Amino acid sequence: MIAAKHLETLSRDLTKLYEVRDTADVVIEIGNPSAKKAYKAHGIILSVRSEYFKSRLKDNEANNGKQTIRLDDFDEGDFEVLLKYIYTGILPPLADTSPTKLLELLLSSQTLRLPDLCSYFQERLVTDHDEWIRDNFISTQQLAFTNSEFAILQNRCISLIIQTPKKFLSADDFPHLSKIALVRLLQLDDLSLSEVRIWDYTLRWCIAQTSLPSDVSTWSEKDYDVLKSVLEDFIPYIRFFHISSTDFSNRRGLFEKLLPNKMYEEVLQYHTKPQQENGEKVLQRRRNRVNQDNNRHRQKAIANADSVINKDSSTVPKVLSPVAPPSLDATLLTPSLSAWISGCIDHWKIPSSSLSQAYSFSLLLRGSREGFSTDVFHSVCDNKGPTVVISQVSETGELVGGYNPIDWLSTPVITYAITQEAFLFSLQRDNVKNAILSRVKAKATAICYNSARGPVFGNYNAPDLMMQSNQYPKRWFCSQGSYSLPIRGECGAFSVNEYEVYRVFKHGEKSEI
C-alpha cells in the first residue's frame, strides 16, 4: 500500500502537470464557435480518468499529433472545475454553491462519465439542500430519473413522496411526475394509501398524458383504447385483489373497459366468489405505514425480516417502536446485541440474545473517543480482520450497522471485495427481537474500499450503508442495492451522534489490536 506522504507527492506532481500543460496533445473547445475557449490537456490522463474522453479520443483522428474535442454545451467555469478534478482529484470548496449549480456540475460529471463526482454532487444536494429539493420537487425528480447513475437523488425523491404521499399525489403538478418514478412508487409494499386511491391517482396520471376530453361520458371506444395503451405498463403493479368489493363495484364499468379481459375476469371472480382460490395471482397486500413521524420505520423490512433469517419460520416480528436515545456513556454493543450478531454470523435460523455466543467483540474505535473522521477509521480499523460497525442515529436513537467478515482497506481508487457473509442490521436499542437483518444479494459489491470514505457496505454509487467524508464526518448515508433489504425507512443521508467499530474473533482466539 502506498504511504500517504507518497500520494501527496503524486498529487502535487499532477497538479503541476495541470498548471503547466506544455506537453499537452489534446485541445478541448468549450462554448459556441463564436465565443469558444480552448483548453490544453493530456490525452493519456483524460483517457484514464474519463470513459467519455477515452471514447472520444479513440474515435478522433489526430491532426499533426494533436486532437481537438468540442464541448458546445459546457459552462467554462464548470469545465475548469472538472478538468482540475480529473488531473488532481481536488474540488474547490462547495459549501456556498447553489443547488442549481450543483445540478449543473452533476450533469456535466455524468456527461464526462465521472461516477465518483456524480455520487458526490448528489450527496451534497441531498445533505445540504434538502429543502430546495422539496420546493423544486417535480423538476428535480424529472432530472433524477433520466439516468440510472442518479440513484441517490432518485431514492431521496421517492422517500419524500413516501413521507406524505397524499400531499404529492394530490398536487396539481403530480401528472408531471416521471413515469419511472411512478412505477417505483407502485412497486412499494409500504405506500400508505388504500389500493383504490393508488388506482385513482395512477388513472389521473395516465389521463393527463393524453389529450382526451375531461368529460368521461363523451369518450368513445377509441378514447378508452388510447388510455389503455398508457395504462398498460402500470397494471402489473396495481393490487386489484386488495381493492374492497364496494370500491370495485363502484368502478366496475371503468375496470371492465380498461383492464385486460383475463385480468378483469379474475378480479371479478375474486370479488364475487371470494371462496375460490386466487393465491398465485394475488400480490402481497401493502402494509399501512405506522408512526409517520421523524422515525419513518419500514413495515416492509420488519414484516420480511423473519423470512430472511429463517424461511421456515412462521414468526413475524412486530413493528419497531421509537425509544429514547441511550446515554452516550453506555456502549452501543450490549450483551444481547452481541449474542444476536453472533447468531447472525453463524447463520442461526433464529438468532437470539438468550443463546450462548461463539464470538467475542473487542472495541477498536469509538467516535466520541477517537474521532469521527474517515482518516481515523482507516488508521485504527484497517487490516484488523472481521469487524462490526454500529452507529446511533441522532434523531431516533436507532442503531444501524453491519458486519464485514474480511479486512477494511484504504485504497486511493474505488475497489470492491467479494463476500457472501457480510450483513447489515438495524434495531431500537437492545430490542433484538425486532431487529432487521439484511444479507448480501450482490456479493461482487458487498464491501467497498476507498480512502475518502469510512466503512462502505454496497455499491459506492448507491451504498446500502456508508460513512461519508471527513468534511461531514457525522453524516452517514443508506440506500438499498447490494443487500436484500433497506435498513432504514428512508433512504438518504442521516446524522449519527456515536459510532463504534469492534473486532470480531472466536472465543479462544487472541485479540491482537
Side-chain angles (χ1 to χ4, degrees):
M1 193 178 297
I2 301 175
K5 62 181 180 180
H6 295 155
L7 289 174
E8 291 175 2
T9 301
L10 175 62
S11 179
R12 284 197 300 270
D13 291 342
L14 288 175
T15 300
K16 292 178 183 177
L17 194 61
Y18 164 78
E19 292 171 348
V20 179
R21 283 181 270 178
D22 288 340
T23 57
D25 56 353
V26 176
V27 175
I28 304 169
E29 296 180 348
I30 304 295
N32 58 62
S34 61
K36 66 184 179 183
K37 184 173 182 178
Y39 294 84
K40 295 180 179 180
H42 301 83
I44 186 64
I45 291 179
L46 297 178
S47 296
V48 169
R49 295 280 282 159
S50 164
E51 288 294 326
Y52 172 83
F53 281 123
K54 181 179 180 180
S55 177
R56 288 291 302 270
L57 291 170
K58 183 179 180 180
D59 294 340
N60 283 7
E61 292 185 2
N63 181 16
N64 296 325
K66 292 190 176 182
Q67 299 188 64
T68 300
I69 296 175
R70 290 188 53 80
L71 295 172
D72 294 336
D73 298 328
F74 266 67
D75 175 81
E76 291 180 12
D78 292 350
F79 182 74
E80 290 176 1
V81 168
L82 300 185
L83 184 61
K84 184 173 183 179
Y85 172 81
I86 287 173
Y87 271 85
T88 68
I90 297 172
L91 288 172
L94 296 172
D96 297 326
T97 305
S98 70
T100 53
K101 176 55 70 174
L102 286 173
L103 283 174
E104 288 179 15
L105 289 166
L106 171 61
L107 291 172
S108 298
S109 300
Q110 192 277 324
T111 298
L112 298 185
R113 300 180 199 171
L114 302 171
D116 290 359
L117 283 190
C118 283
S119 296
Y120 178 77
F121 290 130
Q122 289 176 79
E123 290 171 9
R124 296 281 60 77
L125 281 164
V126 169
T127 302
D128 301 339
H129 300 287
D130 196 58
E131 195 62 35
W132 184 90
I133 293 175
R134 294 171 187 267
D135 293 340
N136 299 270
F137 178 78
I138 291 297
S139 60
T140 301
Q141 65 82 28
Q142 286 175 339
L143 182 148
F145 285 94
T146 60
N147 194 289
S148 60
E149 291 184 16
F150 300 161
I152 295 173
L153 207 52
Q154 290 176 14
N155 288 335
R156 182 55 186 150
C157 290
I158 292 297
S159 69
L160 285 174
I161 299 178
I162 293 174
Q163 289 172 28
T164 53
K166 290 183 180 179
K167 171 186 174 183
F168 282 99
L169 301 185
S170 300
D172 292 339
D173 54 6
F174 162 66
H176 297 292
L177 190 73
S178 67
K179 180 179 179 179
I180 300 175
L182 182 55
V183 169
R184 284 273 302 273
L185 283 172
L186 297 180
Q187 291 174 323
L188 294 174
D189 286 341
D190 55 354
L191 186 58
S192 59
L193 292 169
S194 66
E195 202 64 36
V196 73
R197 288 288 166 258
I198 292 173
W199 159 261
D200 289 343
Y201 286 128
T202 304
L203 191 62
R204 176 192 168 205
W205 186 94
C206 291
I207 293 173
Q209 313 311 307
T210 71
S211 56
L212 294 174
S214 57
D215 186 356
V216 178
S217 64
T218 65
W219 287 5
S220 64
E221 289 299 319
K222 185 177 180 181
D223 290 332
Y224 279 104
D225 288 340
V226 170
L227 183 57
K228 284 177 69 174
S229 66
V230 180
L231 185 63
E232 62 182 355
D233 290 336
F234 303 101
I235 292 293
Y237 308 111
I238 305 294
R239 308 182 187 194
F240 295 99
F241 296 98
H242 299 304
I243 293 176
S244 72
S245 296
T246 299
D247 288 329
F248 176 80
S249 178
N250 291 337
R251 294 163 176 78
R252 181 171 172 177
L254 199 57
F255 285 141
E256 186 174 9
K257 291 179 179 294
L258 295 177
L259 296 187
N261 292 336
K262 184 179 179 181
M263 174 172 282
Y264 173 73
E265 292 299 328
E266 290 172 351
V267 178
L268 178 63
Q269 175 180 289
Y270 181 83
H271 286 289
T272 57
K273 300 177 181 179
Q275 70 278 10
Q276 296 195 19
E277 289 292 330
N278 289 275
E280 294 184 359
K281 307 181 185 73
V282 180
L283 292 172
Q284 175 181 324
R285 183 183 295 276
R286 299 185 203 269
R287 284 173 285 277
N288 288 329
R289 293 177 60 81
V290 297
N291 293 329
Q292 291 188 0
D293 53 14
N294 291 333
N295 295 319
R296 303 183 184 102
H297 292 296
R298 306 168 327 293
Q299 270 189 287
K300 174 185 176 182
I302 297 297
N304 284 294
D306 184 70
S307 64
V308 176
I309 298 171
N310 175 21
K311 293 182 180 179
D312 298 326
S313 173
S314 60
T315 304
V316 179
K318 297 178 181 179
V319 178
L320 291 175
S321 299
V323 296
S327 166
L328 291 182
D329 292 333
T331 302
L332 299 181
L333 185 66
T334 61
S336 59
L337 179 55
S338 63
W340 184 84
I341 291 174
S342 292
C344 293
I345 294 173
D346 279 345
H347 291 269
W348 288 345
K349 287 188 176 181
I350 305 178
S352 170
S353 61
S354 63
L355 299 176
S356 60
Q357 61 189 71
Y359 297 90
S360 295
F361 300 82
S362 179
L363 183 62
L364 291 172
L365 183 155
R366 195 175 197 205
S368 59
R369 186 179 69 184
E370 281 83 17
F372 288 84
S373 73
T374 59
D375 294 340
V376 168
F377 168 78
H378 286 294
S379 66
V380 175
C381 302
D382 282 359
N383 299 297
K384 291 296 192 300
T387 52
V388 166
V389 178
I390 309 173
S391 65
Q392 179 183 327
V393 181
S394 300
E395 295 85 356
T396 65
E398 177 186 7
L399 301 183
V400 297
Y403 169 68
N404 176 10
I406 52 183
D407 286 326
W408 288 110
L409 299 176
S410 178
T411 61
V413 296
I414 297 169
T415 308
Y416 293 100
I418 300 174
T419 176
Q420 193 71 53
E421 298 304 310
F423 59 81
L424 300 175
F425 58 86
S426 67
L427 70 158
Q428 289 296 339
R429 184 170 176 82
D430 222 17
N431 190 5
V432 298
K433 182 179 179 181
N434 290 334
I436 296 164
L437 175 65
S438 179
R439 292 199 180 275
V440 173
K441 72 173 185 179
K443 64 181 182 180
T445 54
I447 300 295
C448 178
Y449 300 138
N450 185 246
S451 56
R453 296 286 187 268
V456 181
F457 294 84
N459 192 301
Y460 185 92
N461 291 325
D464 294 72
L465 181 64
M466 177 181 73
M467 177 187 185
Q468 297 196 43
S469 62
N470 281 325
Q471 187 177 4
Y472 299 95
K474 290 189 178 182
R475 296 293 285 178
W476 290 50
F477 186 91
C478 69
S479 182
Q480 195 258 320
S482 299
Y483 290 74
S484 59
L485 293 170
I487 57 171
R488 298 201 73 219
E490 178 182 347
C491 294
F494 61 95
S495 298
V496 304
N497 55 18
E498 182 64 287
Y499 94 105
E500 296 171 345
V501 182
Y502 291 82
R503 179 174 178 254
V504 181
F505 56 98
K506 283 195 172 184
H507 285 320
E509 292 181 353
K510 291 183 178 181
S511 175
E512 298 177 358
I513 302 175

